[in-house]
């Protein structure tokens, strides 16, 4: 055992000097090896032949190269760090963009509340032209806000629907208010292209999503029963007839759409109950003989078979 250990010791010293020529030749390592425990000596003795055999089997590879292979330039950890650095940069850019969008959306919400509060006066039997005049002042503000929103989205082409959810619900409410205003003024439905023009949107770059428009129209129908009741209370007994005809035509038009079982479908189903409430008011007024004659009864009972 001692002779084998002595041979291994001299081989280690010669190997270290061949790898590092500047090693002090007077350096004596024997005291260190004498102080090592028996287990370390045995382990050293057994591992040296294995190291020698591996070194001989790889003639084109130096010992220093074997020790430094894990720190190469093409290691997996380097490529992994590079990928996540790119992902971090993209996420930060997306976050900054969402902050810009959110700032504009907050202003849209504020303007929409002002517009809605002005339109609520129509339920108090205020003159419609007076109510519309105050409400129309906010449309120009909304148009400017949507212009700013379009400029932000154009900074990342092709990413419209990625960030669409950040302003979707606000746009639906805006469409519902614009549609209600248009009906109060003309008695007709605000078309999709007309809504885009009012908001200054371009369908080619930053347009009004079709589902947002349809959901906004469904929101508008929720105001009709309340409007009818208040108008009848104020003495306008012909209002239920006009609203009933409009709601019947709108409900029939929606039935042409093949709607999925999603939020739009649920809002369309709610329109049926709005129409029924308007029908009940009209029937009640007609039974009392308060309606004008000459209105066809062909619109009655449109929803009776759908419940």
């Amino acid at each position: 055992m001692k002779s084998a250990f002595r041979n291994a010791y001299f081989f280690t010293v010669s190997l270290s000097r061949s790898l590092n020529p500047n090693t002090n030749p007077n350096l004596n390592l024997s005291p260190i090896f004498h102080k090592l425990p028996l287990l370390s000596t045995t382990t050293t003795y057994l591992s040296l032949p294995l190291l020698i055999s591996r070194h001989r089997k790889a003639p084109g590879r130096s010992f220093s190269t074997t020790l430094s292979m894990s720190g190469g330039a093409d290691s997996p950890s380097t490529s992994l760090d590079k990928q996540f650095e790119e992902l971090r940069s993209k996420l930060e850019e997306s976050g900054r963009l969402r902050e810009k969008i959110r700032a504009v959306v907050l202003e849209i919400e504020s303007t929409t509340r002002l517009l809605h509060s002005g339109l609520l006066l129509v339920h108090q039997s205020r003159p419609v032209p007076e109510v519309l005049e105050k409400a129309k002042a906010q449309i120009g503000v909304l148009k400017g806000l949507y212009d700013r929103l379009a400029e932000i989205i154009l900074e990342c082409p092709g990413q419209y629907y990625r960030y669409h959810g950040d302003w979707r619900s606000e746009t639906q409410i805006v469409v519902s208010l614009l549609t209600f205003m248009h009906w109060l003024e003309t008695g007709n439905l605000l078309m999709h292209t007309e809504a885009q023009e009012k908001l200054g949107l371009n369908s080619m770059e930053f347009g009004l999503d079709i589902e947002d428009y349809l959901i906004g129209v469904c929101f508008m129908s929720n105001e009709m029963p309340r409007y009818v009741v208040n108008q009848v209370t104020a003495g306008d007994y012909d209002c239920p007839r006009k609203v009933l005809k409009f709601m019947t035509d709108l409900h029939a038009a929606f039935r042409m759409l093949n709607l999925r079982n999603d939020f739009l479908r649920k809002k369309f189903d709610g329109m049926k109950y709005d129409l029924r409430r308007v029908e009940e008011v009209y029937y009640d007024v007609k039974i009392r003989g308060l309606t004008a004659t000459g209105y066809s009864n062909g619109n009655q009972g449109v929803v009776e078979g759908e419940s």
Side-chain angles (χ1 to χ4, degrees), residues 29 50 67 116 125 145-146 195 198 238 260 269 271 293 307:
L29 299 178
L50 180 61
L67 297 177
H116 194 191
S125 302
L145 292 174
Y146 275 95
K198 286 181 177 293
D238 194 42
R260 303 185 301 273
D269 292 339
M271 185 186 297
T293 60
S307 58

Side-chain angles (χ1 to χ4, degrees), residues 283-297:
Y283 295 155
D284 198 22
V285 172
K286 187 175 180 62
I287 289 173
R288 288 168 173 78
L290 300 175
T291 59
T293 60
Y295 175 65
S296 173
N297 293 333

Side-chain angles (χ1 to χ4, degrees), residues 60-228:
R61 181 185 302 174
S62 63
F63 184 73
S64 60
T65 305
T66 305
L67 297 177
S68 62
M69 280 183 62
S70 61
D74 297 333
S75 62
S77 60
T78 304
S79 60
L80 189 64
D81 294 342
K82 182 179 179 181
Q83 172 186 278
F84 276 85
E85 180 65 24
E86 294 176 355
L87 295 178
R88 182 188 64 81
S89 177
K90 291 180 180 179
L91 288 176
E92 290 181 353
E93 180 64 25
S94 178
R96 287 191 292 268
L97 193 64
R98 287 188 184 277
E99 290 178 359
K100 293 180 182 179
I101 293 174
R102 187 57 187 166
V104 179
V105 170
L106 289 176
E107 296 186 43
I108 293 177
E109 289 180 356
S110 178
T111 307
T112 303
R113 285 194 295 268
L114 294 177
L115 178 59
H116 194 191
S117 63
L119 282 178
L120 288 177
L121 298 177
V122 78
H123 296 299
Q124 302 176 8
S125 302
R126 295 285 185 89
V128 174
E130 177 185 342
V131 174
L132 293 178
E133 183 180 358
K134 293 182 179 180
K136 286 181 179 179
Q138 303 299 327
I139 296 180
V141 180
L142 286 173
K143 185 176 181 180
L145 292 174
Y146 275 95
D147 287 340
R148 289 172 52 189
L149 193 59
E151 292 177 358
I152 296 174
I153 297 301
L154 290 178
E155 295 179 4
C156 50
Q159 301 292 324
Y160 174 86
Y161 283 103
R162 178 181 180 183
Y163 303 101
H164 174 229
D166 294 343
W167 67 83
R168 183 171 190 174
S169 59
E170 290 76 14
T171 301
Q172 294 167 359
I173 297 175
V174 169
V175 171
S176 69
L177 297 177
L178 294 179
T179 308
F180 188 47
M181 291 174 57
H182 186 78
W183 182 85
L184 290 174
E185 189 174 13
T186 65
N188 299 318
L189 177 67
L190 179 69
M191 299 300 177
H192 179 263
T193 54
E194 295 174 337
Q196 284 196 138
E197 291 176 0
K198 286 181 177 293
L199 296 176
L201 302 179
N202 184 354
S203 58
M204 298 299 296
E205 299 175 354
F206 184 88
L208 176 60
D209 185 74
I210 296 177
E211 288 193 5
D212 292 346
Y213 167 76
L214 293 175
I215 293 174
V217 172
C218 293
F219 284 156
M220 181 271 299
S221 71
N222 302 149
E223 291 289 332
M224 290 304 187
R226 180 184 180 189
Y227 177 75
V228 168

